[in-house]
Amino acid sequence: MAGDTADDTADETAHDAADEPVQGSPSPGADAASREREAPRAAPSSSEGPGSGSPEGPDAPRLTRASRTLLFLTVLIIATSGLVYELLAGTVASYVLGDSVTQFSTTIGTYLFAMGIGSFLSRFVKRGVARRFLEVELAAALVGGLSAPLLFVGFAQAEAFAVLLYGTIVVIGTLVGLEIPLLMRILKEELAFEELVARVLTVDYIGALLGSVLFAIVFVPTLGITRTSLLFGMLNALVALLGTTALAPLLTRGDVLRVRVLAALLLVLLGGTFAQADRLTSWTEQSLYDEPIVFAEQSAYQRLVVTRGGPVTSLFLDGNLQFSSVDEHRYHEALVHPAMAAAPRRARVLVLGGGDGLALRELFRWPEVEHVTLVDLDPAVTRVARRLFADLNAHSLEDPRVELVHDDAMVWLDERQRAAPASGDALPYDVAIVDFPDPNNFSLGKLYTRRFYRLLRTALADDATVAIQSTSPLFARRSYWCITETVREAGYAVRPYHATVPSFGEWGYVLASPRPFDAPSALPPPLPAAELRYLSDALLPTLFVFPPDMGPLEVETNHLNDQALVRYYDAEERQWAN
Amino acid sequence: MLRLLLGAPFAAKLLACEGAPPPQPPEGALLGPDHRLGHRLREPPPREAWRDAPTRRVPVAIVGGGPAGLSAGWRLLRRGERDFRLFELEPALGGTSRSGESALTRYPWGAHYLPVPPTSNVDLRGLLVEMGAFHRSEPAERLLVREPESRVFYRGFWYPGLYPWAGASEEDLAQLARFEARVAAQVEAFQIPSARSARDPAHLALDRLSAAQWLDEGGFTSPRLRWLARYACRDDYGLELEETSAWAFVFYWAARAARPEQALEGSEVLTWPEGNGAIVEHLAGVIGDRVETGRAVVHVHETPEGVQLLLLRADGETRERVVADHAILAVPRFVAARLAPELGLELDGYEVGAWAVANLHLRGRPPGRGAPPAWDNVLYDSPALGYVTATHQRGRDFGPTVWTWYLPFTDADAEAGRRRLFEAEHADLADAVLADLRRPHPELDEHVERVDVWRWGHAMVQPRVGFLRDGARFEDGRPRGHVHLAHSDLSGLALFEEAFFHGVRAADEVWDIRRGAVFQIGEGAADEAGEEATGGAAEATEPAAEPATEDATEASGATTGAEEPA
Ligand SMILES: Cc1cc2nc3c(=O)[nH]c(=O)nc-3n(C[C@H](O)[C@H](O)[C@H](O)COP(=O)(O)OP(=O)(O)OC[C@H]3O[C@@H](n4cnc5c(N)ncnc54)[C@H](O)[C@@H]3O)c2cc1C
């Protein structure tokens, strides 16, 4: 290995040169210090020897041209990774804390400030600059590389998150801030000052450009946030490893060994985490989504994936799109307002599913709403919604009128019904919004059974209205009418309707009430209808008109013990997949 | 021990694929019927010991608080006989249909389901309507086993359903279809309760064959079909194909199908988280404080004053004498034979198998590969019968749950199986459970909180070859003086329907005799009783007021535990 010879020679060289007077050096002092100070003697021109980057003897130049090239490559990588860490922190912050403009400007501000601290601190590095540089590199590899996984894990601890976020940013910024000044001091003996500044800064800016372009175009889309972070950590560790070769003349053998061992350990750690990252988000998983995955979690109940492409946020549960911020307003306006418009009272509302808080946002447009019970199985959904969708749901999950329950809606209704006669204080609901994922398995299918709707009935006032998301009457026509007929069979009057939600397609709902009722013909005044972006008085009645290709079909109804709906849905999903 | 419990070949397989043994045996209790009193039964104190015991008179005494005894009491009440006592040995009612309860859910310790009775079983349907399990003539949706009903673990994967369809050959499927057709042709002849089945010599001749011979004669060689057949015998009777009477085997398939098309999967099944313990609870609620638990009846003897029953309380000391006009013995046949030697009950060809039942309390659901979790989860390659999930029916599909695991001891000699069972300690049985279920669920151990195990020494009567005794068995239930017999053992089939049938029959016998007596005493009393009788009968067949929805029915069903419905 070339490195070995380089080491040996470097060590020898250092030794020989130890007692020679060195430019600007008050005293030869310790080995490390003296070794560095020899750098000036390494004349750039003297390393013209073909091929080999290793100096040939005691008088050979301290840094060969190859070493210098290596160092400039290092600058490039450092610059790229520095920018990538900054963007990563900004991205995670805006995903987690929401409001990306504020998050980006505060993270960038903090980051730049921390870089300033780093540059300032660099002056206190008096001796062993090369070694210090490599150590900084190792530290940047560790903290930067693990920053995104760390922040995603810390995401669970809501209160500490900001501390963790800004702490990480300050540490990375400081380390990155130290790098360039140190490197410039190492190189300053090699090059004329003007040239040094010009070259280093050029490479630095190219690196920054590369970082910002590749970050958005290549890394996040293909690797995702976590892997990108780990990859750059590994690159930083590699820089340290390369540095032991490039800066060999300036290091003791012990330094070289220590840095190499540490770099190797870091590579193993980061590489191992990279491999483990598959457990968070797999390679293949990313390829399933058009937009970069910014958050993925396997909760006890399902897989949550949030993607973000530009301004568009989408939530997927077990791979099925739940909403896309482009047109979720259509879906949720159509889900909530017809039932509210048709309801004689709107004080107490029950929301089943809908942990994303988007239906809540629509509900709170009605000033009469006094209490909402939201039952969603998965605490992870509401937690993610509070963090990642707070802008989108207008912080509706924080509203004091919301009572949040994490339970299976069927079990919750069943238990409520059993307890109700005894406790007597369970007031009925005026409106219910039923918003479950599509019935693609038995566990979800049960939430569309006659039994379920009968249980729901026990929680409702006699003249309550109910809106139920019911799959697509176009793509899953049998499924849609199966749900409609099941609701009817459970003892409700039904008014089927549909809306156009481009990211889903033509979407179906069932409006129902235990009492005969008329479909709403207008949005009544307490609703500030001007705020709506989709529904209007003119559009509303047309939603209840079905074109022939979405019209009713002869279907079986959905009961717990046969779950006809799951079979219908499965067949229809397959048909559209082909 | 694993070998002793699960059999050598299985144990070897389990141990071979098991990486390291579990660090510690899981926590849990070893449970079973109360043995102290059971012992007293076998060696009761001499009759003179009751000389100074206090004496009570009751019109009717029921001995045994399992489904048969409870059904007898329920029927007496519904007919208008309010004056009776029920004596149960154990501290709890239910017999082999007992259940348990945790903070999370109830769960069965024995019987866990009831096939939807056909319209012909008017009495049982009446009971189910009364307890809210039927809505008009339709079974309650909440109680019909929820899809997915079953799955089978076969070569590393779970598959939906019970028959392992994956990789079945043309020949396998052809045999399955032929088998289905053979059974479908018998749907009319075989009825539940078994007393209503055809008794002609041609059908009775089946009882001289084993199920294995019947399959051989029919050319049913498909390994998958044989597996399904074997599973059925083990599951319902705790027997191997070689031991099971072909009559009982055909009965298993044909009787539970209301229509020929249902020959393979049977009619639908009703279940509760606590299994048939829910029916026990309803019956117990109706009977109310007429029940006395912790009372071993040790001797039954007909005297000129009436039937004299000698009772011993749970303390083993307190003795009582009860003199009844009628006694209904709703206890296993071998117990009845011991209590009332005068009856000379035939015990020839009467065998009862041993079973182990485990309830696994889980913190969460260990993942498995393939089909999603079902109510009944069966392992193809196992001596045990798999597990049912207590929270399935309520729709709780995630998080903590309780699994009930069943292991029948199908030894050719039932006594040998019982010995094997009682040699096993808690740790041995818990190990066997975990070793068995670790195969489909490698991460099982991290989810197990505790494993409680119940040892049923006398679990189920076994319909072995010849159990019908050329039809003589159908006469076993006939009354003997003022002593009436009621237990599923009389049918030789351990099924709720059989226990219920015999309980109702015994109650009707008592009622008919007593009503005759009342007619002789005075008109007024007869009218009153007669009215109640018709009222009760009408109610049992068709409820007068039908609740508006299933849930209203449920709500009343949930509260009837406390009192009789109006
Ligand atoms: C593991 C297992 C699973 C089963 N699964 C099913 C199923 O899914 N579906 C089904 O239909 N059936 C099932 N069975 C059969 C079920 O147990 C019977 O259907 C039913 O419980 C029989 O009721 P029984 O009243 O005839 O007898 P038992 O349940 O045996 O009741 C007899 C009662 O008499 C009491 N007793 C005994 N001696 C005395 C005495 N001397 N004095 C006072 N009391 C006494 C006993 O303590 C007991 O309570 C299962 C059985 C077992 C063991």
Side-chain angles (χ1 to χ4, degrees), chain A residues 2 46-56 64-67 69-70 245:
Chain A
S46 56
S47 65
E48 303 289 44
S52 161
S54 311
E56 301 293 19
T64 62
R65 170 180 263 189
S67 297
T69 315
L70 220 52
T245 306

Side-chain angles (χ1 to χ4, degrees), chain A residues 78-79 81-82 118 122 133 136-137 140-141 174-184 236:
Chain A
I78 287 173
S81 49
S122 72
F133 169 73
V136 165
E137 210 51 36
T174 308
L175 291 170
V176 173
L178 271 163
E179 286 171 338
I180 298 294
L182 291 181
L183 201 67
M184 282 174 82
N236 274 135

